Amino acid sequence: MSTPLEISGNTSVCGVIGDPVEHTVSPAMHNAAFSALGLDFVYLPFRVAKKDLSDAVQGMRALNIRGLNITIPHKVKVMPLLDEIEAQARAIGAVNVIVNDGGRLKGYNTDAEGFLRTLKEQGVAVRGKTAVILGAGGAARAVSWALAEAGAALIILNRTPGKAVELAGDIARAAGHPAEALQLNAKNLVTALERGHILVNTTSVGMSPETGETLVKRDMIKPRHIVVDIVYNPVKTRLLQEAEKAGAGTVNGLHMLVWQGALAFEKWTGRQAPVEIMHKEALRAFGGK
Ligand code: ATR
């Protein structure tokens, strides 16, 4: 494990609250970044059950914790507990970062911007393209919002079609952008991919331990597609393996994890995040898988 700087009476505390948090790589990633910049900060994991969320947020104030990442299952429920929510996070309907300024808590969403930075870094053009999104949960909301803002048309497919309809409606209203909703099945997926350029899996399908699972068959994927999986455990999911074999471009979920973390780091510290170090450390924490 990476060693944080020596902890003093002045050390600023950051962390992540979620349930579970046992497998998080965020402490490794952030503590390496604090060390690299010589910052007197430390980052800790806090397992917080749903029933304790309100106490935990009060505790952040009482203990003067500088910053928190919010992860499953708290990203939506945390919103009414905060003093202020940035406009983008409000439009998305989820908060993944809190900054504590002297007891005043402000919520942000860095998943959306982190997703866009990832695409930019990987050289994926978005404007004028059609993006096919699998899933309509919290992660899909951030990804859809980001893609719509960046000028993509959206086709959202979800197992429960009503949620896709709701998300598409929200996007069309908030971003003023066309978004279609379909039930997630093989027929609709083939039709959507015929029109789509970018495919993003925002569902948990393929995540460890179900690493053999994928929603998309290899023959549906064409070399002109860019396939993005936001699942990062394993780093190369079954979907990405199939996409590679089909000759498509691929982007793994670790990039988005690192970028959402880097943007949070910048909000807490006011310093530019050492993104390469964070990426290397996140990969190392996964055992280089
Ligand atoms: P997150 O915040 O990670 O997006 P979530 O809000 O629980 O988590 O959303 C999970 C998404 O993955 C949902 O779109 C869910 O589909 P439903 O709305 O039909 O539940 C999708 N999902 C999860 N398991 C799935 C599976 N086996 N097949 C298809 N979709 C699945």
Side-chain angles (χ1 to χ4, degrees):
M1 95 160 246
S2 62
T3 321
L5 290 184
E6 205 173 300
I7 293 176
S8 74
N10 292 317
T11 303
S12 296
V13 178
C14 292
V16 54
I17 61 172
D19 189 12
V21 289
E22 284 75 6
H23 301 291
T24 177
V25 298
S26 291
M29 188 168 83
H30 282 285
N31 286 320
F34 294 146
S35 282
L37 269 58
L39 297 173
D40 192 4
F41 274 71
V42 66
Y43 187 106
L44 302 166
F46 299 107
R47 183 172 185 172
V48 174
K50 274 186 186 172
K51 67 173 176 51
D52 296 325
L53 180 63
S54 171
D55 286 350
V57 172
Q58 263 311 109
M60 181 187 194
R61 286 194 182 90
L63 299 172
N64 197 26
I65 291 174
R66 168 63 177 157
L68 287 176
N69 277 129
I70 313 300
T71 188
I72 289 172
H74 303 314
K75 286 186 186 185
V76 177
K77 293 268 162 50
V78 78
M79 295 177 73
L81 304 172
L82 306 178
D83 298 305
E84 192 181 343
I85 294 171
E86 180 216 29
Q88 191 175 8
R90 189 173 293 286
I92 293 164
V95 158
N96 75 311
V97 175
I98 304 177
V99 179
N100 179 358
D101 270 318
R104 193 176 163 73
L105 307 187
K106 183 165 178 182
Y108 297 86
N109 188 302
T110 65
D111 286 332
E113 180 63 21
F115 184 73
L116 285 184
R117 297 277 183 112
T118 296
L119 295 185
K120 194 167 173 204
E121 175 196 68
Q122 300 296 309
V124 180
V126 175
R127 188 157 298 281
K129 307 285 185 198
T130 296
V132 177
I133 294 163
L134 308 181
R141 294 194 83 83
V143 164
S144 302
W145 200 90
L147 286 167
E149 280 279 304
L154 305 183
I155 307 175
I156 301 166
L157 296 100
N158 198 46
R159 181 175 60 181
T160 312
K163 274 168 71 181
V165 171
E166 193 185 330
L167 175 55
D170 287 353
I171 293 289
R173 259 191 312 279
H177 225 75
E180 289 171 49
L182 293 170
Q183 167 137 40
L184 178 55
N185 60 37
K187 184 169 161 279
N188 285 342
L189 196 47
V190 167
T191 317
L193 283 172
E194 273 166 9
R195 292 162 52 206
H197 308 97
I198 303 167
L199 170 68
V200 188
N201 175 46
T202 75
T203 75
S204 50
V205 176
M207 190 186 290
S208 181
E210 314 288 344
T211 55
E213 303 287 322
T214 174
L215 293 168
V216 191
K217 300 248 159 48
R218 191 189 307 176
D219 60 8
M220 297 176 185
I221 306 171
K222 306 296 172 213
R224 66 186 176 80
H225 288 135
I226 304 283
V227 179
V228 187
D229 203 336
I230 73 160
V231 171
Y232 53 80
N233 179 21
V235 175
K236 196 186 275 189
T237 57
R238 173 84 190 272
L239 171 63
L240 295 184
Q241 291 173 31
E242 299 296 341
E244 251 180 27
K245 286 179 190 152
T250 60
V251 179
N252 72 55
L254 201 60
H255 295 286
M256 182 175 167
L257 177 76
V258 170
W259 273 111
Q260 68 72 30
L263 295 166
F265 178 98
E266 292 177 3
K267 293 189 189 306
W268 299 327
T269 66
R271 299 281 298 274
Q272 195 174 343
V275 179
E276 267 174 43
I277 288 171
M278 293 174 82
H279 193 271
K280 217 173 91 195
E281 200 58 32
L283 201 54
R284 200 188 60 76
F286 273 123
K289 273 183 288 177

